[in-house]
Amino acid sequence: MYARRRRLYFAMMGTCIGLFVLAWGVVRLWSIPVAVGMCVVAMVIPPLAAMTANRRGPDDRWWDDPSGDRKSDEWWDELDGKRRRQR
């Protein structure tokens, strides 16, 4: 899952850079409003790419991994209504 999210992130950021370069290197010669519109679209891509790269999938088990601090883990388990096996 991580590799797929990473590839998608780099593809989105590459598209963003490509839109900026094309807008002001080529498209502005024919139409400045279209170039500005391309930049507005490119401006929206980085936050979406960050959300895509940082989202957690169903296979990512980050929420129930123990932190290593026994007291903290017991406290969170109590809040979540879970009971851990005593060691």
Coordinates of all heavy atoms in Angstrom, one line a residue:
M1 N 0.8 -1.2 0.0 CA 0.0 0.0 0.0 C 0.9 1.3 0.0 O 0.5 2.2 -0.7 CB -0.9 0.0 1.2 CG -2.1 -1.0 1.1 SD -3.1 -0.7 -0.3 CE -4.3 0.4 0.4
Y2 N 1.9 1.2 0.8 CA 2.8 2.4 0.9 C 3.4 2.8 -0.5 O 3.4 4.0 -0.8 CB 3.9 2.2 1.9 CG 4.9 3.3 2.0 CD1 4.5 4.5 2.6 CD2 6.2 3.1 1.5 CE1 5.4 5.5 2.7 CE2 7.1 4.2 1.6 CZ 6.7 5.4 2.2 OH 7.6 6.4 2.2
A3 N 3.9 1.8 -1.2 CA 4.5 2.1 -2.5 C 3.5 2.7 -3.5 O 3.8 3.6 -4.2 CB 5.1 0.8 -3.1
R4 N 2.2 2.2 -3.4 CA 1.2 2.7 -4.3 C 0.9 4.2 -4.0 O 0.8 5.0 -4.9 CB -0.1 1.9 -4.2 CG -1.1 2.3 -5.2 CD -2.4 1.6 -5.1 NE -2.2 0.2 -4.9 CZ -3.2 -0.6 -4.3 NH1 -4.3 -0.1 -3.9 NH2 -3.0 -1.8 -4.1
R5 N 0.8 4.5 -2.7 CA 0.5 5.9 -2.3 C 1.7 6.8 -2.6 O 1.5 7.9 -3.1 CB 0.3 5.9 -0.8 CG -1.1 5.4 -0.4 CD -1.4 5.7 1.1 NE -0.4 5.4 2.0 CZ -0.4 4.4 2.9 NH1 -1.5 3.6 2.9 NH2 0.5 4.2 3.7
R6 N 2.9 6.3 -2.5 CA 4.0 7.1 -2.8 C 4.1 7.4 -4.3 O 4.4 8.5 -4.7 CB 5.3 6.4 -2.4 CG 6.6 7.2 -2.5 CD 7.8 6.5 -2.0 NE 7.9 5.2 -2.7 CZ 8.8 4.4 -2.4 NH1 9.7 4.6 -1.4 NH2 8.9 3.3 -3.1
R7 N 3.8 6.4 -5.2 CA 3.8 6.6 -6.6 C 2.7 7.6 -7.0 O 2.9 8.5 -7.9 CB 3.6 5.3 -7.4 CG 4.9 4.5 -7.5 CD 4.7 3.4 -8.5 NE 3.6 2.4 -8.1 CZ 3.8 1.3 -7.4 NH1 5.0 1.0 -7.0 NH2 2.7 0.6 -7.2
L8 N 1.6 7.5 -6.4 CA 0.5 8.4 -6.7 C 0.8 9.8 -6.3 O 0.6 10.8 -7.0 CB -0.8 7.9 -6.0 CG -2.1 8.8 -6.3 CD1 -2.4 8.8 -7.7 CD2 -3.2 8.2 -5.5
Y9 N 1.5 10.0 -5.1 CA 1.9 11.3 -4.6 C 2.9 11.9 -5.6 O 2.7 13.1 -6.0 CB 2.6 11.1 -3.3 CG 3.2 12.4 -2.8 CD1 2.5 13.4 -2.2 CD2 4.6 12.6 -2.9 CE1 3.0 14.6 -1.8 CE2 5.2 13.8 -2.5 CZ 4.4 14.8 -1.9 OH 5.0 15.9 -1.5
F10 N 3.9 11.2 -6.1 CA 4.9 11.7 -7.0 C 4.2 12.0 -8.4 O 4.6 13.0 -9.0 CB 6.1 10.8 -7.1 CG 7.0 10.9 -6.0 CD1 7.3 9.8 -5.2 CD2 7.6 12.1 -5.6 CE1 8.1 9.9 -4.1 CE2 8.4 12.2 -4.5 CZ 8.7 11.1 -3.8
A11 N 3.3 11.2 -8.8 CA 2.6 11.5 -10.1 C 1.8 12.8 -9.9 O 1.8 13.6 -10.9 CB 1.7 10.3 -10.4
M12 N 1.1 13.0 -8.8 CA 0.3 14.2 -8.6 C 1.2 15.4 -8.6 O 0.9 16.5 -9.2 CB -0.5 14.1 -7.4 CG -1.7 13.1 -7.5 SD -2.6 12.8 -6.0 CE -3.6 14.3 -6.0
M13 N 2.3 15.3 -7.9 CA 3.3 16.5 -7.8 C 3.9 16.7 -9.1 O 4.2 17.9 -9.5 CB 4.3 16.2 -6.7 CG 3.7 16.2 -5.3 SD 2.7 17.7 -4.9 CE 4.0 18.9 -4.8
G14 N 4.2 15.7 -9.9 CA 4.8 15.9 -11.2 C 3.8 16.6 -12.1 O 4.2 17.4 -12.9
T15 N 2.5 16.2 -12.0 CA 1.5 16.9 -12.8 C 1.4 18.3 -12.4 O 1.3 19.2 -13.3 CB 0.1 16.2 -12.5 OG1 0.2 14.8 -12.9 CG2 -1.0 16.8 -13.3
C16 N 1.5 18.6 -11.1 CA 1.5 20.0 -10.6 C 2.6 20.8 -11.2 O 2.4 21.9 -11.8 CB 1.6 20.0 -9.1 SG 1.7 21.6 -8.4
I17 N 3.8 20.3 -11.2 CA 5.0 21.0 -11.7 C 4.8 21.2 -13.2 O 5.1 22.2 -13.8 CB 6.3 20.3 -11.4 CG1 6.5 20.4 -9.9 CG2 7.5 20.8 -12.2 CD1 7.6 19.6 -9.3
G18 N 4.3 20.1 -13.9 CA 4.1 20.2 -15.3 C 3.1 21.2 -15.7 O 3.3 21.9 -16.7
L19 N 2.0 21.3 -15.0 CA 1.0 22.4 -15.3 C 1.6 23.8 -15.1 O 1.4 24.6 -16.0 CB -0.2 22.2 -14.3 CG -1.2 21.1 -14.7 CD1 -2.2 21.0 -13.6 CD2 -1.9 21.5 -16.0
F20 N 2.4 24.0 -14.1 CA 3.1 25.3 -13.9 C 4.0 25.6 -15.1 O 4.0 26.7 -15.6 CB 3.8 25.4 -12.6 CG 3.0 25.8 -11.4 CD1 2.9 25.0 -10.3 CD2 2.4 27.1 -11.4 CE1 2.1 25.4 -9.3 CE2 1.7 27.5 -10.3 CZ 1.5 26.6 -9.2
V21 N 4.8 24.7 -15.4 CA 5.8 24.9 -16.5 C 5.1 25.1 -17.8 O 5.5 26.1 -18.6 CB 6.8 23.7 -16.6 CG1 7.7 23.8 -17.8 CG2 7.7 23.7 -15.3
L22 N 4.1 24.3 -18.1 CA 3.4 24.5 -19.4 C 2.6 25.8 -19.4 O 2.5 26.5 -20.4 CB 2.4 23.3 -19.6 CG 3.1 22.0 -20.1 CD1 2.1 20.9 -20.2 CD2 3.7 22.3 -21.5
A23 N 2.0 26.1 -18.3 CA 1.2 27.4 -18.2 C 2.0 28.6 -18.6 O 1.6 29.4 -19.4 CB 0.6 27.5 -16.9
W24 N 3.2 28.7 -17.9 CA 4.0 30.0 -18.1 C 5.0 29.9 -19.1 O 5.6 30.9 -19.6 CB 4.5 30.4 -16.8 CG 3.4 30.8 -15.9 CD1 3.0 30.1 -14.7 CD2 2.4 31.8 -16.1 NE1 1.9 30.7 -14.2 CE2 1.5 31.7 -15.0 CE3 2.2 32.8 -17.0 CZ2 0.4 32.6 -14.9 CZ3 1.2 33.6 -16.9 CH2 0.3 33.6 -15.8
G25 N 5.3 28.7 -19.6 CA 6.3 28.5 -20.7 C 5.7 28.5 -22.0 O 6.3 28.9 -23.0
V26 N 4.5 28.0 -22.2 CA 3.9 27.7 -23.5 C 2.5 28.4 -23.6 O 2.3 29.2 -24.5 CB 3.8 26.2 -23.8 CG1 3.1 26.0 -25.1 CG2 5.1 25.5 -23.7
V27 N 1.6 28.1 -22.7 CA 0.2 28.5 -22.9 C 0.1 30.0 -22.8 O -0.8 30.6 -23.4 CB -0.7 27.7 -21.8 CG1 -2.1 28.2 -21.9 CG2 -0.6 26.2 -22.1
R28 N 0.9 30.7 -21.9 CA 0.7 32.1 -21.8 C 0.9 32.9 -23.1 O 0.4 34.0 -23.2 CB 1.6 32.6 -20.7 CG 3.1 32.7 -21.2 CD 3.9 33.4 -20.2 NE 5.3 33.3 -20.5 CZ 6.0 34.0 -21.4 NH1 5.4 35.0 -22.0 NH2 7.3 33.8 -21.6
L29 N 1.6 32.3 -24.0 CA 1.8 32.9 -25.3 C 0.5 33.1 -26.1 O 0.4 34.0 -26.9 CB 2.9 32.2 -26.1 CG 4.3 32.0 -25.5 CD1 5.1 31.1 -26.3 CD2 4.9 33.4 -25.3
W30 N -0.4 32.2 -25.9 CA -1.7 32.2 -26.6 C -2.8 32.7 -25.7 O -3.7 33.4 -26.3 CB -2.1 30.8 -27.1 CG -1.2 30.4 -28.2 CD1 -1.3 30.8 -29.5 CD2 0.0 29.6 -28.1 NE1 -0.3 30.2 -30.3 CE2 0.5 29.5 -29.4 CE3 0.6 28.9 -27.1 CZ2 1.7 28.7 -29.7 CZ3 1.7 28.1 -27.4 CH2 2.2 28.1 -28.7
S31 N -2.8 32.4 -24.4 CA -4.0 32.8 -23.6 C -3.5 32.9 -22.1 O -3.3 31.9 -21.5 CB -5.1 31.8 -23.8 OG -6.2 32.2 -22.9
I32 N -3.5 34.1 -21.6 CA -3.1 34.3 -20.2 C -4.2 33.8 -19.3 O -3.9 33.1 -18.3 CB -2.7 35.8 -19.9 CG1 -1.4 36.1 -20.6 CG2 -2.6 36.0 -18.5 CD1 -0.9 37.5 -20.5
P33 N -5.5 34.0 -19.6 CA -6.5 33.4 -18.7 C -6.4 31.9 -18.6 O -6.6 31.3 -17.5 CB -7.8 33.9 -19.3 CG -7.5 35.1 -20.0 CD -6.1 34.9 -20.6
V34 N -6.1 31.2 -19.6 CA -6.0 29.8 -19.6 C -4.8 29.4 -18.7 O -4.8 28.4 -17.9 CB -5.9 29.1 -21.0 CG1 -5.6 27.7 -20.9 CG2 -7.2 29.4 -21.7
A35 N -3.7 30.1 -18.9 CA -2.5 29.9 -18.1 C -2.8 30.1 -16.6 O -2.3 29.3 -15.8 CB -1.3 30.8 -18.5
V36 N -3.5 31.1 -16.3 CA -3.9 31.4 -14.9 C -4.8 30.2 -14.4 O -4.6 29.7 -13.2 CB -4.6 32.7 -14.7 CG1 -5.2 32.9 -13.3 CG2 -3.6 33.8 -15.0
G37 N -5.7 29.8 -15.2 CA -6.6 28.7 -14.8 C -5.8 27.4 -14.6 O -6.1 26.6 -13.6
M38 N -4.8 27.1 -15.4 CA -3.9 26.0 -15.2 C -3.2 26.1 -13.8 O -3.0 25.1 -13.1 CB -2.9 25.8 -16.3 CG -3.5 25.4 -17.6 SD -2.4 25.4 -19.0 CE -1.3 24.1 -18.6
C39 N -2.7 27.3 -13.5 CA -2.0 27.5 -12.2 C -3.0 27.3 -11.0 O -2.6 26.8 -10.0 CB -1.4 28.9 -12.2 SG 0.1 28.9 -13.2
V40 N -4.2 27.7 -11.2 CA -5.2 27.5 -10.1 C -5.4 26.0 -9.9 O -5.5 25.5 -8.8 CB -6.5 28.2 -10.4 CG1 -7.6 27.8 -9.5 CG2 -6.3 29.7 -10.4
V41 N -5.5 25.2 -11.0 CA -5.7 23.8 -10.9 C -4.4 23.2 -10.2 O -4.5 22.3 -9.3 CB -5.9 23.1 -12.2 CG1 -5.8 21.6 -12.2 CG2 -7.3 23.6 -12.8
A42 N -3.2 23.7 -10.6 CA -2.0 23.2 -10.0 C -1.9 23.6 -8.6 O -1.2 22.8 -7.8 CB -0.8 23.8 -10.8
M43 N -2.5 24.6 -8.2 CA -2.4 25.1 -6.8 C -3.2 24.1 -5.9 O -2.9 24.0 -4.7 CB -3.0 26.5 -6.7 CG -3.0 27.1 -5.3 SD -3.7 28.7 -5.3 CE -5.4 28.4 -5.7
V44 N -4.2 23.5 -6.4 CA -5.1 22.6 -5.6 C -4.5 21.2 -5.4 O -4.7 20.5 -4.5 CB -6.5 22.5 -6.3 CG1 -7.3 21.5 -5.6 CG2 -7.2 23.8 -6.3
I45 N -3.6 20.9 -6.3 CA -3.0 19.5 -6.3 C -2.1 19.2 -5.1 O -2.3 18.1 -4.5 CB -2.3 19.2 -7.7 CG1 -3.3 19.2 -8.8 CG2 -1.5 17.9 -7.6 CD1 -2.6 19.1 -10.2
P46 N -1.2 20.0 -4.6 CA -0.4 19.7 -3.5 C -1.1 19.3 -2.2 O -0.7 18.3 -1.6 CB 0.5 20.9 -3.3 CG 0.6 21.5 -4.7 CD -0.7 21.3 -5.3
P47 N -2.1 20.0 -1.8 CA -2.8 19.5 -0.6 C -3.5 18.2 -0.8 O -3.5 17.3 0.1 CB -3.9 20.6 -0.3 CG -3.4 21.8 -1.1 CD -2.6 21.3 -2.2
L48 N -4.1 18.0 -2.0 CA -4.7 16.7 -2.3 C -3.6 15.5 -2.3 O -3.9 14.4 -1.8 CB -5.4 16.7 -3.6 CG -6.6 17.6 -3.7 CD1 -7.2 17.7 -5.1 CD2 -7.7 17.2 -2.7
A49 N -2.5 15.9 -2.8 CA -1.4 14.9 -2.9 C -0.9 14.5 -1.4 O -0.7 13.4 -1.1 CB -0.2 15.4 -3.7
A50 N -0.8 15.5 -0.6 CA -0.4 15.3 0.8 C -1.5 14.4 1.5 O -1.1 13.5 2.3 CB -0.2 16.6 1.5
M51 N -2.8 14.7 1.3 CA -3.8 13.9 1.9 C -3.8 12.5 1.4 O -4.0 11.5 2.2 CB -5.2 14.5 1.7 CG -5.4 15.7 2.5 SD -7.1 16.4 2.3 CE -7.0 17.3 0.9
T52 N -3.5 12.3 0.1 CA -3.4 11.0 -0.5 C -2.3 10.2 0.1 O -2.4 9.0 0.4 CB -3.3 11.1 -2.0 OG1 -4.4 11.8 -2.5 CG2 -3.2 9.7 -2.6
A53 N -1.1 10.8 0.2 CA 0.1 10.2 0.7 C 0.0 9.8 2.2 O 0.6 8.8 2.6 CB 1.3 11.0 0.5
N54 N -0.7 10.6 3.0 CA -0.8 10.3 4.4 C -2.0 9.6 4.9 O -2.1 9.3 6.1 CB -0.7 11.7 5.1 CG 0.6 12.3 5.0 OD1 1.6 11.6 5.1 ND2 0.6 13.6 4.8
R55 N -2.9 9.2 4.0 CA -4.1 8.5 4.5 C -3.7 7.1 4.8 O -2.7 6.5 4.3 CB -5.2 8.5 3.4 CG -5.0 7.5 2.3 CD -6.2 7.4 1.4 NE -5.9 6.5 0.4 CZ -5.9 6.7 -0.8 NH1 -6.1 7.9 -1.3 NH2 -5.6 5.7 -1.7
R56 N -4.5 6.5 5.7 CA -4.2 5.2 6.2 C -5.2 4.2 5.5 O -6.4 4.5 5.4 CB -4.4 5.1 7.7 CG -3.5 6.0 8.5 CD -2.1 5.5 8.3 NE -1.2 6.4 9.1 CZ 0.1 6.4 9.0 NH1 0.7 5.5 8.2 NH2 0.8 7.2 9.8
G57 N -4.7 3.1 5.1 CA -5.5 2.1 4.5 C -6.0 1.1 5.5 O -5.6 1.1 6.7
P58 N -6.9 0.2 5.1 CA -7.4 -0.8 6.0 C -6.3 -1.8 6.5 O -6.5 -2.4 7.6 CB -8.5 -1.5 5.2 CG -8.2 -1.2 3.8 CD -7.5 0.1 3.8
D59 N -5.2 -2.0 5.8 CA -4.2 -2.9 6.2 C -3.2 -2.2 7.1 O -2.3 -2.9 7.7 CB -3.4 -3.4 5.0 CG -4.3 -4.3 4.1 OD1 -5.3 -4.8 4.6 OD2 -4.1 -4.4 2.9
D60 N -3.2 -0.9 7.2 CA -2.3 -0.2 8.1 C -2.8 -0.3 9.5 O -3.9 0.1 9.9 CB -2.2 1.3 7.7 CG -1.6 1.4 6.3 OD1 -0.8 0.5 5.9 OD2 -1.8 2.5 5.7
R61 N -2.0 -0.9 10.4 CA -2.4 -1.1 11.8 C -1.7 -0.2 12.7 O -1.0 -0.5 13.6 CB -2.0 -2.6 12.2 CG -2.6 -3.6 11.3 CD -4.1 -3.8 11.6 NE -4.3 -4.0 13.0 CZ -4.9 -5.0 13.5 NH1 -5.4 -5.9 12.7 NH2 -5.1 -5.0 14.8
W62 N -1.9 1.1 12.6 CA -1.2 2.1 13.4 C -2.0 2.4 14.6 O -1.5 2.9 15.6 CB -0.9 3.4 12.6 CG -2.2 4.0 12.1 CD1 -2.8 3.7 10.9 CD2 -3.0 5.0 12.7 NE1 -3.9 4.5 10.8 CE2 -4.1 5.3 11.9 CE3 -2.9 5.7 13.9 CZ2 -5.0 6.2 12.2 CZ3 -3.8 6.7 14.2 CH2 -4.9 6.9 13.3
W63 N -3.3 2.3 14.6 CA -4.1 2.7 15.7 C -4.1 1.8 17.0 O -4.4 2.3 18.1 CB -5.6 2.9 15.3 CG -6.2 1.7 14.8 CD1 -6.9 0.7 15.5 CD2 -6.2 1.3 13.5 NE1 -7.3 -0.3 14.7 CE2 -6.9 0.0 13.4 CE3 -5.7 1.8 12.3 CZ2 -7.1 -0.7 12.2 CZ3 -5.9 1.1 11.1 CH2 -6.6 -0.1 11.1
D64 N -3.8 0.6 16.8 CA -3.8 -0.3 17.9 C -2.4 -0.9 18.2 O -2.3 -1.8 19.0 CB -4.8 -1.4 17.8 CG -4.6 -2.3 16.5 OD1 -3.7 -1.9 15.8 OD2 -5.3 -3.3 16.3
D65 N -1.4 -0.3 17.7 CA 0.0 -0.7 18.0 C 0.3 -0.2 19.4 O 0.1 1.0 19.7 CB 1.0 -0.2 17.0 CG 0.9 -0.9 15.7 OD1 0.4 -2.0 15.6 OD2 1.5 -0.4 14.7
P66 N 1.0 -1.0 20.2 CA 1.4 -0.5 21.5 C 2.5 0.6 21.4 O 3.3 0.4 20.5 CB 1.8 -1.7 22.3 CG 2.0 -2.8 21.2 CD 1.2 -2.4 20.0
S67 N 2.4 1.5 22.2 CA 3.4 2.6 22.2 C 4.7 2.2 22.8 O 5.8 2.9 22.6 CB 2.9 3.9 22.8 OG 2.7 3.7 24.2
G68 N 4.7 1.2 23.7 CA 5.9 0.9 24.5 C 5.8 1.3 25.9 O 6.5 0.8 26.8
D69 N 5.0 2.3 26.2 CA 4.8 2.8 27.6 C 3.6 2.0 28.1 O 2.4 2.2 27.7 CB 4.5 4.3 27.6 CG 4.3 4.8 28.9 OD1 4.5 4.1 29.9 OD2 3.8 6.0 29.1
R70 N 3.9 1.1 29.1 CA 2.8 0.2 29.5 C 1.7 0.9 30.2 O 0.5 0.6 30.0 CB 3.4 -0.8 30.5 CG 2.6 -2.0 30.7 CD 3.3 -3.1 31.5 NE 2.5 -3.2 32.7 CZ 2.9 -3.6 33.9 NH1 4.2 -3.7 34.1 NH2 2.1 -3.7 34.9
K71 N 2.0 1.9 31.0 CA 0.9 2.6 31.7 C 0.0 3.4 30.7 O -1.2 3.4 30.8 CB 1.6 3.6 32.7 CG 0.6 4.2 33.6 CD 1.3 4.9 34.7 CE 0.2 5.3 35.8 NZ 0.7 5.2 37.1
S72 N 0.7 4.0 29.7 CA -0.1 4.7 28.7 C -1.0 3.8 27.9 O -2.1 4.1 27.6 CB 0.9 5.5 27.8 OG 0.2 6.1 26.7
D73 N -0.4 2.6 27.5 CA -1.2 1.6 26.7 C -2.4 1.1 27.5 O -3.5 1.0 27.0 CB -0.3 0.5 26.3 CG 0.7 0.8 25.3 OD1 0.5 1.8 24.6 OD2 1.7 0.1 25.2
E74 N -2.2 0.9 28.8 CA -3.3 0.4 29.7 C -4.4 1.5 29.8 O -5.6 1.2 29.7 CB -2.8 0.1 31.1 CG -2.0 -1.2 31.1 CD -1.3 -1.4 32.5 OE1 -1.5 -0.5 33.4 OE2 -0.6 -2.4 32.6
W75 N -3.9 2.8 29.9 CA -4.9 3.9 30.0 C -5.7 4.0 28.7 O -6.9 4.1 28.8 CB -4.1 5.2 30.2 CG -4.9 6.4 30.5 CD1 -5.6 6.7 31.6 CD2 -5.2 7.4 29.5 NE1 -6.3 7.8 31.4 CE2 -6.0 8.3 30.2 CE3 -4.8 7.7 28.2 CZ2 -6.5 9.5 29.6 CZ3 -5.2 8.8 27.6 CH2 -6.1 9.7 28.3
W76 N -5.0 3.9 27.5 CA -5.8 4.0 26.3 C -6.7 2.8 26.1 O -7.8 2.9 25.6 CB -4.8 4.1 25.1 CG -4.3 5.5 24.9 CD1 -3.0 5.9 25.2 CD2 -5.0 6.7 24.5 NE1 -2.9 7.3 25.0 CE2 -4.1 7.7 24.5 CE3 -6.3 6.9 24.0 CZ2 -4.5 9.0 24.1 CZ3 -6.7 8.1 23.7 CH2 -5.8 9.2 23.7
D77 N -6.2 1.6 26.5 CA -7.1 0.5 26.4 C -8.3 0.6 27.2 O -9.4 0.2 26.9 CB -6.3 -0.8 26.8 CG -5.3 -1.2 25.7 OD1 -5.4 -0.7 24.6 OD2 -4.4 -2.0 26.0
E78 N -8.1 1.2 28.4 CA -9.3 1.4 29.3 C -10.3 2.4 28.7 O -11.5 2.2 28.7 CB -8.8 2.0 30.7 CG -9.9 2.2 31.6 CD -9.4 2.8 33.0 OE1 -8.2 2.6 33.2 OE2 -10.2 3.4 33.7
L79 N -9.8 3.4 28.0 CA -10.6 4.4 27.4 C -11.4 3.7 26.2 O -12.5 4.1 25.9 CB -9.8 5.6 26.9 CG -9.4 6.6 27.9 CD1 -8.6 7.7 27.3 CD2 -10.6 7.2 28.6
D80 N -10.7 2.9 25.5 CA -11.3 2.2 24.3 C -12.2 1.0 24.7 O -12.8 0.5 23.8 CB -10.2 1.7 23.3 CG -9.5 2.9 22.7 OD1 -10.0 4.0 22.6 OD2 -8.3 2.6 22.2
G81 N -12.2 0.7 26.0 CA -13.0 -0.4 26.4 C -12.4 -1.8 26.1 O -13.0 -2.8 26.1
K82 N -11.1 -1.8 25.9 CA -10.3 -3.1 25.6 C -9.7 -3.6 26.9 O -9.4 -2.9 27.8 CB -9.2 -2.9 24.6 CG -9.7 -2.4 23.2 CD -8.5 -2.3 22.3 CE -8.9 -1.7 21.0 NZ -7.7 -1.4 20.2
R83 N -9.5 -4.9 26.9 CA -8.8 -5.5 28.0 C -7.6 -6.3 27.4 O -7.8 -7.1 26.5 CB -9.7 -6.5 28.7 CG -10.9 -5.9 29.4 CD -10.4 -5.3 30.7 NE -11.5 -4.6 31.4 CZ -11.4 -3.4 31.9 NH1 -10.3 -2.7 31.8 NH2 -12.5 -2.8 32.4
R84 N -6.5 -6.0 27.9 CA -5.2 -6.7 27.5 C -5.0 -7.9 28.4 O -5.3 -7.8 29.5 CB -4.0 -5.8 27.6 CG -3.8 -4.9 26.4 CD -2.5 -4.3 26.5 NE -2.4 -3.1 25.5 CZ -1.9 -3.2 24.3 NH1 -1.4 -4.4 23.9 NH2 -1.9 -2.2 23.5
R85 N -4.4 -8.9 27.8 CA -4.0 -10.0 28.6 C -2.8 -9.6 29.5 O -1.9 -8.9 29.1 CB -3.5 -11.1 27.7 CG -4.6 -11.8 26.9 CD -4.0 -13.0 26.1 NE -3.3 -12.4 25.0 CZ -2.3 -13.0 24.4 NH1 -1.9 -14.2 24.8 NH2 -1.7 -12.5 23.4
Q86 N -2.9 -10.0 30.7 CA -1.8 -9.7 31.7 C -0.6 -10.6 31.4 O -0.8 -11.8 31.2 CB -2.3 -9.9 33.1 CG -3.5 -9.0 33.5 CD -3.1 -7.6 33.5 OE1 -1.9 -7.2 33.8 NE2 -4.0 -6.7 33.1
R87 N 0.5 -10.0 31.5 CA 1.8 -10.8 31.2 C 2.4 -11.2 32.5 O 2.4 -10.6 33.5 CB 2.8 -9.9 30.4 CG 2.2 -9.6 29.1 CD 3.3 -8.8 28.4 NE 2.6 -8.3 27.1 CZ 3.3 -7.5 26.3 NH1 4.5 -7.2 26.5 NH2 2.7 -7.1 25.2

